[in-house]
Amino acid sequence: MGHVNEKLYLLRAEARGIVDAAARAWQGPGRERDLLVQSLKAAGAATLAWAVSGWWLKDPVALMAPWVAVVLVQATVYRSLFKGVQQLVAIAVGTLLAAGAEALTGNILISVALVLPVVMLLSNWPRLGDQGIYGPTTALFTLTSGPVSSLTVSHRLLQAVLGAAIGIAVNALIVPPVHLRNVRENLSSLARGAEGALAGMAEGLAHDDWSEATAADWRRLSDRLQQWQASLRSARLWSHESLRLNPRLPWKSRKKLPPLPAESEDQRWGAIVAQIGGITNTMIDIADENRTIPSPDQRALGDYGRLLCDLATACAARADLISLLSTPDDAHARLEEALDSVERRHDALHKVICDQRSVSPGTTAVLGTLLVQAQNIWHHIAPDTWPRAADGA
């Protein structure tokens, strides 16, 4: 019964996520609207390709044009061109090898058995990237969808070129994608996620309201941060790619583009995410009854939770600086205030660890590990100009 309830909860969560994404796409620019625009462009490119190849030209292998077109409406114009070349090479290789095998053997089954191992190996060629799979699929279509002749082979290749041209043209000429905003949004989401993870752990520790199940929830939040970090890396790549070969952005207008957060911010939050993962792993080890790791005294854990709360506040101030939701002066003031509190709590906990009379040896060992991880977050989140950021405790 519990398993069924968990599945229902996940289904409801997914449904809420879809509704929320649709609402955000309707409300204004963002990742959701970008995805909607790209999806509509891909559907439009496929429809146009079918109208030209199937309705107007009445080509016997008209399927190739919309099939290629829909795939080549990529996240950037540069990627559309690059993937287009890869896909056309894969399609040409698959088609020609299949036609050659059928001409030599005169038997479809034998041709399939001979060609598929070869094209499957070629599909893993790094230069074809993720488009290599179109080699074996095209070979299968060539051999199984009708008589193989020089006419059908040439039509298949021409339709692939037509579909690629339409897909690339639609992506380049109709709202060509520019992904500069996505870097800031993903970086802000990562910072907010770090704030949420630290705040969640802080609340549980400060009020002695946590268990092995709670620690598992913290692990899921930590894993979610890893996913956001991967999304940030992808967005950073797309931002660079979207400026290449983009007719929407002539060289003169590129100077007017909004500045992106520095790539050093990616490294900063990547390091913070790693430390949050370390804290989570330590707490899971403490909660595991099958492990011999001692649990620190509750008073010390409560103080540590309040330290994490201050770090979460510092993350929130940093996130505001990234997302431009507040004035820089206000965000910097809140960051300075949070870091002052972090320093005071850190120093107090460090004194607790050094005072062997006030804590047990287990508390000293485990709390020391946790304190080092929190200190690393503190040092990463502090501004480079903050003089105390380099002070050791």
Side-chain angles (χ1 to χ4, degrees), residues 62-285:
L63 172 65
M64 288 297 297
W67 182 41
V68 173
V70 75
V71 174
L72 290 185
V73 180
Q74 294 280 328
T76 65
V77 176
Y78 172 81
R79 190 167 297 195
S80 288
L81 288 166
F82 185 68
K83 299 289 185 183
V85 172
Q86 289 180 320
Q87 188 178 129
L88 289 176
V89 170
I91 288 174
V93 169
T95 301
L96 295 175
L97 286 179
E102 200 279 336
L104 288 174
T105 64
N107 184 281
I108 300 297
L109 179 59
I110 296 175
S111 298
V112 169
L114 290 176
V115 169
L116 278 186
V118 177
V119 290
M120 282 302 299
L121 286 172
L122 287 174
S123 70
N124 295 302
W125 188 27
R127 291 191 179 277
L128 293 180
D130 57 0
Q131 302 300 303
I133 191 61
Y134 290 99
T137 54
T138 304
L140 279 174
F141 285 152
T142 300
L143 292 170
T144 60
S145 61
V148 181
S149 66
S150 58
L151 182 64
T152 58
V153 168
S154 61
H155 275 236
R156 191 176 298 278
L157 295 176
L158 289 173
Q159 288 300 315
V161 173
L162 174 64
I166 290 175
I168 294 170
V170 166
N171 203 32
L173 300 177
I174 301 177
V175 195
V178 179
H179 294 282
L180 303 184
R181 181 181 60 250
N182 288 355
V183 172
R184 189 175 298 277
E185 289 180 353
N186 278 279
L187 189 58
S188 178
S189 294
L190 184 61
R192 296 292 181 193
E195 174 200 351
L198 289 170
M201 287 189 285
E203 184 176 1
L205 294 177
H207 298 94
D208 193 19
D209 184 22
W210 69 286
S211 63
E212 189 172 356
T214 312
D217 290 337
W218 296 341
R219 164 64 65 80
R220 282 190 283 272
L221 285 174
S222 177
D223 292 342
R224 180 63 176 150
L225 289 178
Q226 302 277 350
Q227 295 172 9
W228 273 324
Q229 191 177 358
S231 296
L232 173 60
R233 285 194 293 267
S234 178
R236 185 70 73 172
L237 174 63
W238 285 1
S239 72
H240 292 314
E241 279 191 8
S242 63
L243 297 177
R244 303 174 68 179
L245 307 177
N246 194 326
R248 183 178 170 188
L249 296 172
W251 284 107
K252 291 182 180 179
S253 66
R254 298 191 183 198
K255 297 179 181 179
K256 302 177 182 179
L257 293 173
L260 287 176
E263 293 193 28
S264 59
E265 286 295 310
D266 302 5
Q267 300 167 4
R268 179 196 307 278
W269 289 101
I272 291 171
V273 166
Q275 295 302 321
I276 291 174
I279 295 173
T280 303
N281 291 334
T282 303
M283 298 310 302
I284 288 175
D285 290 341

Side-chain angles (χ1 to χ4, degrees), residues 246-330:
N246 194 326
R248 183 178 170 188
L249 296 172
W251 284 107
K252 291 182 180 179
S253 66
R254 298 191 183 198
K255 297 179 181 179
K256 302 177 182 179
L257 293 173
L260 287 176
E263 293 193 28
S264 59
E265 286 295 310
D266 302 5
Q267 300 167 4
R268 179 196 307 278
W269 289 101
I272 291 171
V273 166
Q275 295 302 321
I276 291 174
I279 295 173
T280 303
N281 291 334
T282 303
M283 298 310 302
I284 288 175
D285 290 341
I286 293 172
D288 189 351
E289 296 178 353
N290 297 321
R291 304 290 293 271
T292 58
I293 298 176
S295 176
D297 300 335
Q298 176 50 39
R299 181 177 177 182
L301 275 182
D303 290 340
Y304 185 77
R306 285 179 277 277
L307 171 62
L308 294 185
C309 184
D310 290 333
L311 287 172
T313 303
C315 284
R318 273 283 188 186
D320 286 347
L321 285 171
I322 296 168
S323 58
L324 307 177
L325 290 179
S326 62
T327 62
D329 289 342
D330 179 56

